[in-house]
Amino acid sequence: MRSVENFGKTCKWFYNLARTPQLWQAACRKIWPDVKPKHGLTSWRAIFINRPHMRFDGVYVSRIKYHRQGEQKPNLCCTLQTVFYHRFLRFFSDGLVLGLNTTQAPQAAVAALKDRSSANKDVTYGQYTVSGSEVKIVLFQRDTSCRSSIKLKPDHSFNLTFKLTGSAGRQLLHWSEYFMVDKKNGQTKKTNIEVVPPHFSKFVYVRAKSYTALSGGTI
């Protein structure tokens, strides 16, 4: 709907056209089929702008920074190392989600996640579902032995659950649950991981201008 807002800035007549309630109602119904205006959010446009919803024209970024003990050498004090990296999540409107953990500059990660089929071997692929403010994600690693196409490793999955908060301008994903599932020799093993700082920090939505043409669609 960013293009609608920009369209409305060109002149007064287009401004009124961009504020047509039916236009914003259609956008809201596409995301929340049963939504109704509530007290404090009296217009469909206000609902769309202020109610949290997934964004497809950017990435969700989590900045991780922590300290760990370094290698201890004889006759020397123990060193302390600083570990710093980013986690990225990129969502598509059809339920596809891409993930990437990297120490590279954010610009490199944004470029790696631009297309549905990334050349970066570290990118994980999966599906997500949204129920209210709860976002569930299942990610799989890529089988790097297959070079001609993208093939995933189905026996090992990363299962993430988040709570979506914020408004259209500042979307946040807060960790709720994280566990891994391994399937081997007919056995299934589930490993729960505690989602606490500093290893697990919230994801913040950042718009990527290069994604706009790919994420745009009709209402």
Side-chain angles (χ1 to χ4, degrees):
M1 298 298 287
R2 176 179 292 272
S3 58
V4 174
E5 289 285 275
N6 292 334
F7 175 73
K9 295 177 182 179
T10 55
C11 71
K12 184 176 180 180
W13 190 84
F14 286 157
Y15 174 87
N16 292 329
L17 186 63
R19 294 299 190 276
T20 304
Q22 291 81 359
L23 181 67
W24 292 93
Q25 181 180 5
C28 290
R29 293 294 189 192
K30 186 176 181 179
I31 302 174
W32 313 287
D34 301 323
V35 69
K36 295 179 180 179
K38 295 182 179 180
H39 179 71
L41 297 176
T42 56
S43 70
W44 290 106
R45 179 175 176 271
I47 293 175
F48 187 89
I49 292 175
N50 294 285
R51 184 167 179 171
H53 59 278
M54 301 307 303
R55 297 290 299 269
F56 310 122
D57 55 349
V59 293
Y60 289 79
V61 186
S62 176
R63 184 176 183 270
I64 311 299
K65 181 181 180 181
Y66 65 93
H67 302 285
R68 70 181 180 188
Q69 182 176 323
E71 182 180 358
Q72 189 170 0
K73 297 182 180 180
N75 303 323
L76 292 176
C77 295
C78 179
T79 59
L80 196 64
Q81 296 178 339
T82 299
V83 179
F84 175 73
Y85 68 96
H86 288 92
R87 289 191 178 106
F88 292 86
L89 290 171
R90 159 81 152 119
F91 296 90
F92 293 84
S93 59
D94 61 353
L96 174 68
V97 58
L98 307 182
L100 178 62
N101 296 350
T102 180
T103 57
Q104 292 182 322
Q107 294 86 345
V110 169
L113 298 175
K114 180 180 179 180
D115 300 317
R116 302 170 65 92
S117 300
S118 177
N120 191 317
K121 302 295 184 181
D122 295 324
V123 172
T124 54
Y125 295 77
Q127 296 288 320
Y128 73 94
T129 57
V130 181
S131 177
S133 61
E134 184 180 71
V135 182
K136 287 184 173 291
I137 301 172
V138 181
L139 290 170
F140 297 91
Q141 288 180 320
R142 185 172 179 174
D143 187 350
T144 55
S145 63
C146 183
R147 298 182 179 181
S148 59
S149 61
I150 295 178
K151 183 180 180 181
L152 305 180
K153 298 178 179 179
D155 296 334
H156 183 73
S157 65
F158 304 91
N159 299 262
L160 302 74
T161 303
F162 298 97
K163 181 179 180 181
L164 177 64
T165 65
S167 60
R170 182 172 172 80
Q171 299 276 340
L172 302 174
L173 287 174
H174 301 271
W175 284 93
S176 298
E177 184 182 29
Y178 177 36
F179 62 91
M180 295 183 294
V181 175
D182 288 286
K183 297 178 181 180
K184 189 176 182 180
N185 299 325
Q187 301 293 322
T188 299
K189 179 183 178 181
K190 178 181 178 182
T191 305
N192 292 296
I193 300 175
E194 191 176 8
V195 288
V196 294
H199 300 281
F200 294 90
S201 61
K202 65 179 179 292
F203 283 78
V204 179
Y205 164 77
V206 179
R207 189 171 75 93
K209 292 182 178 180
S210 59
Y211 290 1
T212 304
L214 297 173
S215 62
T218 57
I219 298 175

